[in-house]
Amino acid sequence: MASPLKVCIVGSGNWGSAIARIIGSNAKSLQHFATTVKMWVYEENINGRKLTDIINTDHENVKYLPGYKLPENVVAVPKLCDAAEGADLLVFVVPHQFIRKLCDEMVGCVSSKARGITLIKGIDEGPEGLKLISDIIREKMGIDVSVLMGANIANEVAAEKFCETTIGSKILENGLLFKELLQTPNFRITVVDDADTVELCGALKNIVAVGAGFCDGLQCGDNTKAAVIRLGLMEMIAFAKLFSKDGSVSTATFLESCGVADLITTCYGGRNRRVAEAFAKTGKSIEELEKEMLNGQKLQGPATSVEVYHILKQKGLVDKFPLFTAVYQICFEGKPVQEMISCLQSHPEHL
């Protein structure tokens, strides 16, 4: 029998800790996987104790997922190479801003036979324009990478409330292997082969959620928010079609959990909407609100709007994406929040 597959979780924030509960529990009960799961934890001091010690002693990430126990076979490791060494399966779940640096650190500790999956919602700007997070990992580490995106608010997943998610995989058997590692009766997974679209959905919907939060801050009501969601979805589809490497974007992918479901969830729950609402009400900067409201978590929507705006500008396409552009300009160029409504009023019905 083949030796059991060793799993490493790269990241331990809110979503990383929620997914660690599932992985730890499945690794314990399924023969395919080694029982011990290593989780790389960025070391912090919490009331004089190291976060790794707290996790390994009390089995709880008291900073990022308080109130939920982690399985005892999930072991927190402060050095990235120690955590990743010898891993067959790598689960990437860190803020997208850090991925390049972490991949550079891991080169040499991870075999090219390892397989990865990214749960990271964001995109990066490369010299040629758009760069997906999975591409960065693939290029830097020489491994195959699947993606997991869906309507998955971390605390609800941790509380084992039913939800769906989508795995996008260029090599189907790898997607199915990660489905086995991650699926539970309350975390139901569909595997599709349109991996780039799945990943783009996860990044772009956070920009739309910022727009929805602005509307909440302006007390616009549910009809306006529905318009934000619909027009935002149109821009997501148009953007994906524009930037797909081979032109093959399946509109059906947008009907999976990673598309319309995640978009709705994020526009009603989630941190991007919450911070954007506070931005509209208080006039404080995005950076200030991130520090005040998120307890060390990172905000992805505004950062992604910057990457998207730069890419659109480079291609001369800013006018074709009025909602994405308005979110960027309100967050970073001092445009008044009311511009969100003007953008909806003048938005073309079809892109």
Side-chain angles (χ1 to χ4, degrees):
M1 184 184 140
S3 58
L5 299 166
K6 292 185 184 143
V7 183
C8 167
I9 304 169
V10 180
S12 59
N14 185 234
W15 187 208
S17 299
I19 216 72
R21 280 170 54 83
I22 290 177
I23 292 174
S25 166
N26 281 351
K28 226 182 325 199
S29 59
L30 300 170
Q31 299 169 321
H32 263 92
F33 307 106
T35 306
T36 299
V37 173
K38 289 184 181 172
M39 177 168 78
W40 172 65
V41 173
Y42 178 76
E43 191 68 278
E44 299 178 61
N45 269 325
I46 313 284
N47 300 330
R49 290 176 74 193
K50 286 182 174 168
L51 185 54
T52 49
D53 291 345
I54 297 172
I55 292 172
N56 290 333
T57 313
D58 306 344
H59 307 292
E60 184 182 342
N61 187 335
V62 292
K63 178 158 186 188
Y64 295 109
L65 191 67
Y68 294 100
K69 287 289 182 198
L70 296 171
E72 296 188 5
N73 57 319
V74 173
V75 178
V77 181
K79 281 209 172 85
L80 183 55
C81 257
D82 294 348
E85 198 162 5
D88 302 294
L89 302 176
L90 294 156
V91 179
F92 294 90
V93 54
V94 291
H96 81 270
Q97 299 91 316
F98 305 136
I99 194 64
R100 287 176 185 275
K101 181 172 161 289
L102 296 176
C103 285
D104 288 340
E105 277 181 45
M106 271 187 284
V107 171
C109 0
V110 173
S111 144
S112 61
K113 292 195 192 67
R115 287 165 275 196
I117 189 165
T118 165
L119 281 61
I120 299 170
K121 295 184 169 173
I123 51 177
D124 204 72
E125 216 183 321
E128 310 79 48
L130 179 73
K131 199 82 163 153
L132 296 172
I133 302 301
S134 60
D135 289 335
I136 295 170
I137 301 169
R138 216 174 271 120
E139 286 167 21
K140 284 188 173 285
M141 299 184 63
I143 62 175
D144 180 63
V145 185
S146 302
V147 300
L148 179 145
M149 304 280 150
N152 309 142
I153 288 180
N155 286 52
E156 294 183 16
V157 173
E160 296 175 34
K161 294 179 175 176
F162 177 82
C163 69
E164 301 176 309
T165 200
T166 312
I167 287 179
S169 224
K170 294 180 194 292
I171 299 173
L172 195 61
E173 65 182 285
N174 290 349
L176 294 170
L177 179 61
F178 280 111
K179 175 176 177 170
E180 191 185 351
L181 175 67
L182 291 161
Q183 181 156 271
T184 73
N186 282 324
F187 192 65
R188 196 171 72 176
I189 298 174
T190 306
V191 181
V192 301
D193 60 5
D194 189 5
D196 291 353
T197 307
V198 172
E199 187 168 359
L200 270 178
C201 282
L204 297 174
K205 56 97 199 187
N206 281 332
I207 304 178
V208 185
V210 173
F214 290 156
C215 289
D216 286 343
L218 295 167
Q219 297 183 309
C220 293
D222 285 335
N223 299 335
T224 310
K225 198 176 336 190
V228 171
I229 291 171
R230 185 185 81 84
L231 297 168
L233 181 60
M234 280 189 354
E235 291 194 17
M236 285 166 64
I237 295 170
F239 191 92
K241 287 186 169 159
L242 214 57
F243 290 97
S244 81
K245 296 182 195 73
D246 46 12
S248 65
V249 169
S250 162
T251 315
T253 306
F254 290 92
L255 297 176
E256 296 289 346
S257 179
C258 61
V260 69
D262 195 8
L263 179 60
I264 292 168
T265 301
T266 313
C267 286
Y268 280 90
R271 62 186 93 150
N272 289 284
R273 187 215 64 79
R274 204 160 38 103
V275 172
E277 180 182 22
F279 177 93
K281 284 181 170 168
T282 64
K284 292 180 180 175
S285 74
I286 291 290
E287 292 77 17
E288 280 177 272
L289 291 166
E290 184 182 61
K291 283 199 185 75
E292 267 176 40
M293 295 173 70
L294 294 185
N295 185 32
Q297 290 176 275
K298 289 280 174 236
L299 201 58
Q300 299 296 323
T304 306
S305 80
V306 176
E307 317 274 9
V308 165
Y309 183 76
H310 288 166
I311 291 163
L312 292 174
K313 201 161 182 193
Q314 199 181 332
K315 304 265 191 223
L317 291 166
V318 167
D319 296 346
K320 292 256 187 291
F321 292 86
L323 192 146
F324 288 174
T325 302
V327 167
Y328 164 76
Q329 290 176 331
I330 292 165
C331 285
F332 300 107
E333 290 193 341
K335 279 263 170 93
V337 183
Q338 286 71 16
E339 285 287 311
M340 200 63 227
I341 310 305
S342 327
C343 139
L344 302 176
Q345 289 165 338
S346 58
H347 202 291
E349 288 169 37
H350 305 285
L351 290 179

